[in-house]
Amino acid sequence: MFTIEHEFDATVITLVDEGEDGPLLEDIVINAFEDCVTVEQVDPQTDEVLRITLSTTQLRDLAAALNLPEGSYRLERKG
């Protein structure tokens, strides 16, 4: 399950683990800003929010990498 909310400065996507295989993990919150994307998840052992920030270039590369075979790549912008 996931939710999408549009806030003033970001789109917030929350991914809720509803899996039936093994223990459930904490929700993941993705904040999409104009210049970056953050991915947050609460560490259940420390109860602290862990945050990773991706630039828009890194996010583009990640999206491409999910559909490519093993190897080293460099995406080039057209135009």
Side-chain angles (χ1 to χ4, degrees):
M1 177 185 133
F2 62 92
T3 64
I4 302 172
E5 299 173 55
H6 297 290
E7 296 186 0
F8 174 72
D9 62 344
T11 296
V12 180
I13 301 167
T14 303
L15 307 176
V16 179
D17 190 3
E18 294 185 306
E20 297 178 14
D21 301 328
L24 299 180
L25 299 177
E26 296 291 327
D27 294 354
I28 294 174
V29 178
I30 303 163
N31 296 287
F33 298 97
E34 183 177 330
D35 60 342
C36 68
V37 172
T38 63
V39 179
E40 301 173 348
Q41 186 176 42
V42 173
D43 180 339
Q45 295 178 342
T46 63
D47 208 31
E48 292 181 359
V49 175
L50 304 176
R51 179 179 298 120
I52 297 172
T53 302
L54 301 166
S55 70
T56 53
T57 301
Q58 290 174 312
L59 185 62
R60 181 199 69 202
D61 290 350
L62 174 59
L66 293 174
N67 296 313
L68 292 170
E70 183 176 352
S72 177
Y73 301 89
R74 176 175 286 124
L75 297 179
E76 295 184 15
R77 287 188 146 178
K78 293 182 180 180

